[in-house]
Amino acid sequence: MPAFVTLSGRLVRLEPLSLAVVDDLVAAASEDRSTYAFTRVPHGRDEMVSYVEAALAEQAEGRTMPFAIRWLHTDRVVGATRLMNLEYWQGPMPWPPGARGAVGDVPSVADIGYTWLSASAQGTGVNRESKYLMLSLAFETWQVHRITIKADIRNVRSRAAIEALGAHLDGVRRAESRGADDTVRDTAYYSILSDEWPVVRERMHARMGLVEAA
């Protein structure tokens, strides 16, 4: 299982998700919930506790690495995100297929998901830098083969943000899941491969105003 880390940037610090930040997350999720039309975000303290406890249970199995997002501009927790669906391809194949056998030291592929932000943090660069920090960890430390990012096909804003990263649209899975609005959701699947990361990284550096070291 990968060692848990804190990821720090210029705008945000991604901290290990814990029950200690539940009240901060409740406050963040309560600002303006009209922005969560296509995103399922816990509402109220009881839902937030269940949300964090479920994430920590998956973390204990080596299946996810959840973070609280701290916006350094305000020193407030303004949302959450995670590296999830961690798959470990090294070692013997589990049998039967799909069985949960022993996991390895680092994942081979992963998703970025369960990302949500308070209304005040949206459109500020917090989301972009959070993605950058997780992508850097995945590709440069874990050396994963692929990162997958998904979005409700109707979520134009999220899809535009994913495409702005340089992610490739793999396709749309119809009737993929229950949507945040309790309808049947079609989901757009995007991916970034390891050999695409240098170009994606350069593109993100340009958008964030960073310059590669000479």
Side-chain angles (χ1 to χ4, degrees):
M1 294 166 56
F4 213 98
V5 294
T6 295
L7 305 176
S8 297
R10 297 189 305 171
L11 299 178
V12 303
R13 184 167 64 245
L14 302 188
E15 303 172 350
L17 186 66
S18 73
L19 290 169
V21 297
V22 162
D23 291 334
D24 295 331
L25 291 170
V26 171
S30 301
E31 285 189 4
D32 179 3
R33 295 191 60 84
S34 67
T35 62
Y36 303 141
F38 303 114
T39 304
R40 194 174 298 277
V41 178
H43 193 196
R45 197 174 196 282
D46 289 345
E47 284 190 13
M48 194 65 72
V49 168
S50 296
Y51 166 86
V52 173
E53 288 179 340
L56 296 180
E58 289 193 8
Q59 175 192 332
E61 295 179 344
R63 307 295 169 181
T64 190
M65 182 174 282
F67 297 98
I69 303 172
R70 186 174 295 277
W71 191 10
L72 299 179
H73 173 65
T74 61
D75 196 33
R76 292 187 296 113
V77 171
V78 293
T81 189
R82 67 187 71 171
L83 285 152
M84 53 188 278
N85 295 335
L86 307 183
E87 294 185 19
Y88 303 81
W89 293 353
Q90 63 272 37
M93 293 290 286
W95 189 262
R100 291 192 171 186
V103 297
D105 294 328
V106 292
S108 302
V109 295
D111 292 10
I112 291 177
Y114 279 102
T115 303
W116 63 270
L117 292 172
S118 65
S120 61
Q122 294 173 22
T124 63
V126 166
N127 179 56
R128 183 184 303 123
E129 188 172 82
S130 297
K131 293 286 194 300
Y132 173 76
L133 293 171
M134 289 186 289
L135 287 167
S136 297
L137 172 68
F139 284 118
E140 296 173 15
T141 301
W142 295 349
Q143 298 187 336
V144 300
H145 303 292
R146 168 180 45 82
I147 287 290
T148 297
I149 310 176
K150 298 178 284 190
D152 188 313
I153 194 172
R154 301 168 296 173
N155 195 339
V156 176
R157 182 173 179 174
S158 287
R159 293 187 63 188
I162 295 168
E163 290 167 5
L165 299 175
H168 174 78
L169 176 62
D170 294 326
V172 175
R173 180 175 291 179
R174 298 175 297 168
E176 189 265 344
S177 66
R178 179 180 177 179
D181 57 354
D182 292 327
T183 62
V184 177
R185 160 178 153 164
D186 295 341
T187 299
Y189 279 68
Y190 294 86
S191 65
I192 301 171
L193 303 183
S194 57
D195 61 357
E196 297 167 346
W197 168 238
V199 173
V200 171
R201 179 179 57 200
E202 183 177 348
R203 182 173 182 168
M204 295 187 76
H205 280 184
R207 289 177 64 85
M208 294 188 297
L210 300 176
V211 178
E212 289 276 13

